[in-house]
Amino acid sequence: MKATELQIINFLQAPKVQFVIPIYQRNYDWTISECRELLKDIIQVAEENRASHFIGSIVFIHDGVYSSSNEVKELVIIDGQQRLTTINILYVALYRFAKENGISNDANMVYDMFLTNQYVQKETSKLKLKQTDHNAAAFKAIMHGNEKSYNEYSNVIENYNFFRAEISEENFRTILDGLNRLIFVEVSLERGKDDPQRIFESLNSTGLDLSQSDLIRNFILMDLPPLEQDRIFESIWNPIEENAKDLVKKISLVSDYIRDYLTLKNKKIPNKNKVYSEFKSLFPNKKDENYSQELETIKSLSVHYKKLVNPNTVHDLKVRRELQYINRLEINVAYPFLLQVFEDLENGLIESSELVSILQLIQSYAWRRFIVGLPTNALNKVFMTLYSEIDTEEYLESIEKALLRKGGSSKFPRDEDIKLALKDKDLYNIQSKNRSYFFELLENFNNKEYVDTSIEAITIEHIFPRTPTDEWKGNLSREDYSEFKDKYLNTIANLTLSGNNGALSNKTFAEKKAMNADGKEQGYIHSRLWLNSYLQKIEEWNISHLEERFEIIYNRFLKIWKLPDVVVFDEENDEEQNIFDAENPRFKKLEYFIFENNKIEEDAVAQMYFYVLRALFQKNSQVMVSGQDILKITRNEADFRDGKELDNGYYFESNIDSNSKFTILKKLLSLFEMEEELIIKYQTGLVNSGEPARYTIRKKYWLQLLPLLQEINLFQNINASNDQWLSVGAGISGLQYTLTNTKSIARIELGIVTSSKEINKSYFRRLYSKKEMIEEALGQTCEWQELPESKMSRIKIEITDVDFFNENEWAKRNDYFLEMFPKFQAAFDPFVFELK
């Protein structure tokens, strides 16, 4: 690395040099605001006759010794492209001004020295600034005076127009003089010698300049050779950027998408400002085959993310409608879970009808919680781990059971909870998106003639009005009038929809029901809306009728936002619980705990206690040290019977019972105002005399199998999980060997799961053409599943009638995997490698 202070004009006028903005750089996004500041600084340094004005650094990569095969020396800009591009745009504005005002010497000087390489043959080498496609087209337009015919919005065009309007005969030479006084630090890196990614991170360590997705894009692309860089950008990154975009607001959602992807993969939600660091930590070796496979997976899942954030792009009308509802309710926390569910749909694991049911289930869960008033932040933890609770043999039912088992702040409200909350809940003074969703679904349930309740003509009408007249007071008993006014005014039983709200206004119920002024049929009796059907049958509006109408609406509510009709054994502690809701921890073990969205698989209460104490101390040590009435901590280990170091030389007593640990944690969490941040899951099974949870058994099985698999190289760096399967790369991106356990089946398969359906089918057919040789090498037949309607294909062998939940039969599964997997791999590997 070499750093030099330099005048910007000396940098720009170097002969036969091209400044290349690489494809992985973010778009040019300086606006007129930044341009105005830069121009102000340029004019001031000249007018004040100061020697120089520092504009920061420009970092670039070069290839070392000049190569005669290239007409120009390419400097790949990795930092400073916004300033460099803006200065070039300013020089174009100066060139155009000089040319149009007959100042030909200055026009030629700017054009020849700063904007072009005059004596090169290739047209692509002529411009000194080589930009990405979109910006390059806009830059050429201003160079050639064609900006008015450029139809797309471009910051290049906008900023040129600003500069061009600011340049005048009075300041033309002042600006040229000011540009001559600009200095910067030139940081040159040599490809193959310096580490551009590390230097780039140091320059952008504040995270202020670049988004998380910018940093990830640079991490993926920066250190690749140019041709490979182009290939990965076009085949992987560009599709991700196109998919992770809000098509209505025209904004990038790549950072949000990668965060959801990491949540799905790691089962913990990364901080928004740490998405890049979390992503980078996954891939310590970018040359590993798993890295390429993971990029393919990210690309593949981005196709589904596009559907989630842009429901109008979904062709299936039923799926589209349910996604639109989820979008309106802003249940974004479900996206990580839904990414994999949509992938399962594409791979044929579920049908479209099941997906619709899952989307409706999510709405029921979220909307019931809203009605009851449960906190929305608990949903983060639920959807973060929900996919791991799916049993593919009973896909929808296992999700229903998992949600019904939730307790505490994650509870799925039961019908009796809804009835109690719905009757008294103010559903008028809520967010309009929630209000419109509620009334739209209520009105249109089982309605073959869909009513668009979002049109301006239809509004919410209070049956008993907000400003009742004396006639209302006279028509009701004192008790009914008081209850309407103070308790039920804004509740669902007193609300309806009407296209004649203004006309009905504060009139009595009888007038509202029969109104037909000027033959316009404003009254309830003329309405086609379901919400007015009951009102057409009664003659007066009182509390008795309100309660009867509430029962009708409540029963309709239960049909729309259903409670899953599945049997869930109320196993002791078989659910996630907030620590404040959890039972006495004595004689219990944890399956895991979740603190601040981080899931820690740990069975000892003591280890959770130590983890949370240290996390709180690091968050605010002053609060911990001052809170001695809750937890005594000192710098003297001898003050304690069994002192354990907290952090930074502070100790605390570790030899206390589990109940005391819970008590201290709850007090500290309250002190830190973090009551919702610690979720625990107790183990079931022998510890609590209950039936073991399915995913507990899964992990236990893999933990005992993995040591037996260590002689198989592929499994040496694989960790046990709660999933039904264990997958390893097959040596080519998009192909993987998988061991799978279901209730009664042990399966070995080769999955063909690239992001391209066409490639998958091509790979499958090429392998299928070698079917006889493969099966001969294996010594048995395989089940070949092309799955023409699905994206994936697979080839598998399996044994049946082995009870997964009977540990006495695990040996039979182990023997099968240990004997047949090496044979399976050996039979397929030669033909898999041919696919390369």
Side-chain angles (χ1 to χ4, degrees):
M1 183 179 79
K2 185 178 179 182
T4 310
E5 188 175 275
L6 197 67
Q7 283 181 284
I8 193 71
I9 58 169
N10 291 339
F11 183 65
L12 294 176
Q13 69 186 13
K16 291 191 176 183
V17 167
Q18 193 167 49
F19 310 108
V20 179
I21 308 299
I23 53 177
Y24 57 76
Q25 283 280 21
R26 66 179 177 181
N27 190 41
Y28 173 64
D29 57 9
W30 266 29
T31 64
I32 290 173
S33 175
E34 288 85 13
C35 291
R36 182 178 285 112
E37 284 299 311
L38 178 63
L39 185 60
K40 176 184 172 185
D41 291 338
I42 290 170
I43 291 173
Q44 277 187 350
V45 71
E47 288 181 341
E48 295 171 6
N49 199 26
R50 287 186 280 118
S52 63
H53 176 75
F54 180 66
I55 61 168
S57 62
I58 296 177
V59 186
F60 60 86
I61 307 171
H62 64 93
D63 286 318
V65 179
Y66 174 76
S67 171
S68 60
S69 61
N70 294 325
E71 280 194 291
V72 295
K73 183 176 183 180
E74 292 189 343
L75 307 182
V76 179
I77 308 298
I78 67 169
D79 190 60
Q81 69 125 332
Q82 303 288 329
R83 291 185 297 275
L84 185 61
T85 302
T86 304
I87 289 171
N88 270 267
I89 294 170
L90 177 54
Y91 269 120
V92 173
L94 290 166
Y95 157 67
R96 291 273 300 278
F97 176 86
K99 187 177 179 182
E100 292 162 15
N101 287 276
I103 317 174
S104 56
N105 285 341
D106 288 309
N108 292 337
M109 179 270 296
V110 171
Y111 185 84
D112 293 344
M113 293 180 65
F114 300 115
L115 298 175
T116 60
N117 290 306
Q118 279 299 291
Y119 305 107
V120 296
Q121 299 300 313
K122 290 183 181 178
E123 193 61 34
T124 55
S125 300
K126 289 274 188 188
L127 282 179
K128 287 206 163 194
L129 183 66
K130 183 179 181 181
Q131 303 195 75
T132 52
D133 292 345
H134 175 73
N135 292 326
F139 194 80
K140 286 178 181 176
I142 64 174
M143 280 286 289
H144 301 305
N146 299 326
E147 65 274 4
K148 290 183 179 178
S149 62
Y150 192 85
N151 296 324
E152 294 182 43
Y153 182 88
S154 167
N155 283 326
V156 172
I157 304 287
E158 295 299 313
N159 293 345
Y160 165 77
N161 288 333
F162 165 74
F163 284 136
R164 185 65 184 79
E166 293 293 311
I167 298 170
S168 64
E169 289 185 16
E170 288 74 26
N171 66 15
F172 174 75
R173 297 204 174 280
T174 303
I175 295 171
L176 280 176
D177 183 22
L179 283 165
N180 291 342
R181 298 169 188 256
L182 297 185
I183 61 171
F184 73 104
V185 171
E186 171 195 83
V187 181
S188 65
L189 312 175
E190 188 168 344
R191 194 183 301 280
K193 291 185 177 180
D194 297 306
D195 185 345
Q197 179 68 24
R198 185 164 295 179
I199 293 167
F200 180 79
E201 289 174 14
S202 299
L203 291 166
N204 292 278
S205 59
T206 63
L208 297 174
D209 292 334
L210 296 177
S211 71
Q212 296 295 294
S213 62
D214 290 327
L215 292 165
I216 292 168
R217 180 180 59 227
N218 292 352
F219 171 74
I220 291 172
L221 297 170
M222 182 179 286
D223 55 358
L224 296 175
L227 289 178
E228 180 68 1
Q229 197 175 88
D230 289 345
R231 186 187 72 79
I232 295 296
F233 178 80
E234 293 299 333
S235 65
I236 299 289
W237 187 259
N238 196 47
I240 291 171
E241 286 198 327
E242 289 302 311
N243 288 328
K245 182 186 295 183
D246 187 317
L247 297 178
V248 175
K249 298 178 181 177
K250 308 292 184 186
I251 58 174
S252 172
L253 299 173
V254 175
S255 296
D256 296 324
Y257 164 59
I258 298 294
R259 185 172 185 240
D260 287 338
Y261 156 77
L262 290 171
T263 301
L264 171 67
K265 183 172 180 64
N266 296 337
K267 298 182 178 65
K268 66 177 183 178
I269 304 171
N271 184 289
K272 286 186 176 181
N273 296 322
K274 293 184 178 179
V275 172
Y276 166 63
S277 59
E278 289 276 347
F279 181 88
K280 184 182 173 185
S281 68
L282 286 178
F283 308 113
N285 180 12
K286 293 200 288 182
K287 294 180 181 179
D288 191 292
E289 178 63 33
N290 290 333
Y291 171 67
S292 299
Q293 174 62 44
E294 208 62 45
L295 292 183
E296 287 287 345
T297 300
I298 295 170
K299 172 187 170 182
S300 181
L301 293 177
S302 75
V303 174
H304 309 313
Y305 192 77
K306 180 178 182 178
K307 301 168 193 171
L308 299 180
V309 297
N310 301 288
N312 288 339
T313 63
V314 177
H315 297 301
D316 187 309
L317 294 178
K318 292 181 179 178
V319 174
R320 182 198 306 169
R321 181 184 62 197
E322 302 307 333
L323 276 181
Q324 286 170 336
Y325 288 146
I326 284 176
N327 251 17
R328 284 166 61 178
L329 290 178
E330 297 179 357
I331 316 176
N332 301 6
V333 292
Y335 287 175
F337 167 71
L338 287 174
L339 285 173
Q340 191 60 54
V341 172
F342 269 82
E343 182 74 357
D344 289 346
L345 172 73
E346 193 159 340
N347 285 326
L349 292 180
I350 57 171
E351 300 293 328
S352 179
S353 59
E354 289 179 279
L355 174 62
V356 170
S357 296
I358 291 168
L359 296 174
Q360 291 172 340
L361 174 65
I362 289 171
Q363 291 174 67
S364 291
Y365 180 55
W367 189 247
R368 280 174 172 249
R369 291 171 55 80
F370 170 76
I371 293 296
V372 172
L374 289 170
T376 57
N377 61 356
L379 294 178
N380 292 324
K381 304 174 183 68
V382 171
F383 288 108
M384 178 176 72
T385 58
L386 184 58
Y387 189 79
S388 67
E389 300 183 59
I390 289 178
D391 183 337
T392 53
E393 291 185 85
E394 44 184 45
Y395 201 103
L396 172 60
E397 189 174 325
S398 64
I399 300 172
E400 292 174 329
K401 288 180 178 178
L403 290 177
L404 280 177
R405 286 194 185 102
K406 304 299 178 191
S409 60
S410 302
K411 180 181 180 181
F412 199 138
R414 299 325 195 238
D415 292 350
E416 56 272 21
D417 301 321
I418 295 298
K419 189 168 190 176
L420 194 63
L422 185 63
K423 187 172 184 179
D424 298 334
K425 191 174 182 70
D426 183 339
L427 286 162
Y428 182 74
N429 294 305
I430 60 176
Q431 286 183 299
S432 60
K433 66 180 178 65
N434 291 339
R435 193 171 60 222
S436 65
Y437 167 81
F438 186 38
F439 280 93
E440 180 178 333
L441 269 69
L442 265 183
E443 179 60 41
N444 286 296
F445 175 69
N446 279 348
N447 187 353
K448 294 181 180 178
E449 295 184 43
Y450 178 83
V451 179
D452 185 359
T453 59
S454 65
I455 61 175
E456 288 186 20
I458 297 180
T459 56
I460 294 178
E461 146 82 356
H462 286 74
I463 303 168
F464 176 90
R466 285 182 288 173
T467 52
T469 60
D470 290 340
E471 289 177 278
W472 272 98
K473 198 168 189 178
N475 291 338
L476 292 168
S477 68
R478 181 182 299 176
E479 293 78 10
D480 280 11
Y481 183 86
S482 176
E483 285 208 67
F484 270 127
K485 204 167 189 312
D486 300 332
K487 186 176 181 181
Y488 294 124
L489 178 66
N490 293 316
T491 63
I492 187 59
N494 188 54
L495 300 175
T496 189
L497 292 173
S498 174
N500 301 286
N501 199 359
L504 299 176
S505 188
N506 301 329
K507 292 181 170 53
T508 64
F509 179 78
E511 291 172 312
K512 288 187 176 191
K513 178 182 175 183
M515 189 174 185
N516 189 21
D518 301 323
K520 293 183 179 179
E521 301 182 341
Q522 298 95 335
Y524 300 145
I525 200 169
H526 304 293
S527 175
R528 292 189 300 108
L529 300 177
W530 176 85
L531 277 163
N532 291 322
S533 57
Y534 173 77
L535 303 178
Q536 296 168 353
K537 302 171 186 175
I538 58 175
E539 301 303 323
E540 60 180 345
W541 186 238
N542 54 34
I543 293 299
S544 175
H545 284 140
L546 176 135
E547 290 175 343
E548 192 172 338
R549 184 170 184 257
F550 170 76
E551 289 294 331
I552 294 170
I553 292 174
Y554 165 69
N555 288 323
R556 192 173 178 89
F557 183 105
L558 299 185
K559 295 174 184 175
I560 302 170
W561 295 281
K562 298 176 184 176
L563 190 72
D565 185 20
V566 292
V567 177
V568 177
F569 294 104
D570 191 17
E571 297 171 345
E572 184 184 8
N573 302 319
D574 189 20
E575 60 186 23
E576 290 179 0
Q577 299 172 296
N578 186 293
I579 190 172
F580 287 85
D581 302 321
E583 293 184 3
N584 187 319
R586 194 180 181 197
F587 303 129
K588 293 181 175 66
K589 286 188 177 182
L590 300 174
E591 184 174 318
Y592 57 81
F593 66 91
I594 303 171
F595 184 65
E596 290 192 297
N597 296 328
N598 291 323
K599 182 178 180 180
I600 313 296
E601 295 185 345
E602 173 59 62
D603 64 359
V605 169
Q607 293 304 315
M608 177 186 75
Y609 179 65
F610 302 154
Y611 178 96
V612 176
L613 288 186
R614 286 177 176 138
L616 294 176
F617 187 86
Q618 290 168 11
K619 190 175 291 290
N620 193 328
S621 58
Q622 185 175 356
V623 169
M624 291 281 283
V625 172
S626 60
Q628 296 286 334
D629 55 327
I630 299 174
L631 176 70
K632 179 181 178 181
I633 57 175
T634 73
R635 291 190 178 275
N636 185 6
E637 185 178 3
D639 288 345
F640 306 101
R641 189 175 36 168
D642 186 9
K644 192 174 186 72
E645 187 172 9
L646 183 61
D647 198 7
N648 201 29
Y650 279 97
Y651 291 85
F652 66 100
E653 179 58 64
S654 66
N655 188 12
I656 58 175
D657 62 76
S658 294
N659 285 341
S660 300
K661 291 184 176 80
F662 265 43
T663 300
I664 291 170
L665 285 178
K666 285 189 274 190
K667 288 181 178 180
L668 285 173
L669 290 169
S670 298
L671 180 65
F672 277 76
E673 297 182 351
M674 297 175 67
E675 292 92 336
E676 298 296 328
E677 295 302 324
L678 181 55
I679 304 296
I680 67 170
K681 169 72 167 63
Y682 284 129
Q683 283 187 23
T684 54
L686 297 177
V687 177
N688 297 322
S689 302
E691 182 185 348
R694 177 179 285 110
Y695 46 87
T696 306
I697 296 183
R698 289 176 190 160
K699 184 164 187 180
K700 184 177 180 182
Y701 176 81
W702 297 126
L703 283 171
Q704 63 84 38
L705 178 66
L706 277 171
L708 306 177
L709 290 170
Q710 287 311 297
E711 291 184 9
I712 302 174
N713 290 336
L714 289 179
F715 288 95
Q716 287 184 350
N717 296 314
I718 301 297
N719 296 318
S721 74
N722 297 331
D723 298 322
Q724 285 179 290
W725 54 84
L726 213 58
S727 293
V728 291
I732 177 172
S733 181
L735 271 71
Q736 58 189 31
Y737 291 115
T738 302
L739 308 181
T740 302
N741 284 311
T742 69
K743 287 179 182 176
S744 58
I745 294 172
R747 178 183 302 136
I748 301 169
E749 71 178 52
L750 174 66
I752 307 173
V753 291
T754 77
S755 59
S756 166
K757 181 177 179 179
E758 292 71 25
I759 292 175
N760 292 339
K761 303 315 170 190
S762 171
Y763 283 168
F764 178 85
R765 290 168 193 144
R766 289 169 64 184
L767 289 171
Y768 190 77
S769 69
K770 311 292 185 182
K771 178 176 182 289
E772 289 185 12
M773 288 184 280
I774 291 171
E775 292 182 344
E776 183 179 351
L778 179 60
Q780 71 171 77
T781 60
C782 301
E783 186 174 347
W784 297 74
Q785 296 182 316
E786 182 177 1
L787 306 174
E789 300 303 317
S790 302
K791 183 169 68 174
M792 75 174 294
S793 295
R794 62 185 171 215
I795 306 112
K796 65 182 183 180
I797 59 174
E798 63 187 28
I799 57 171
T800 58
D801 298 325
V802 277
D803 184 358
F804 183 67
F805 296 102
N806 181 356
E807 292 190 28
N808 293 327
E809 295 197 14
W810 282 6
K812 190 186 297 185
R813 286 179 181 264
N814 292 351
D815 291 343
Y816 179 70
F817 286 142
L818 292 170
E819 177 189 355
M820 293 307 301
F821 182 81
K823 294 180 180 179
F824 190 84
Q825 182 191 0
F828 276 94
D829 267 359
F831 302 100
V832 167
F833 292 137
E834 283 183 8
L835 298 175
K836 290 186 176 182

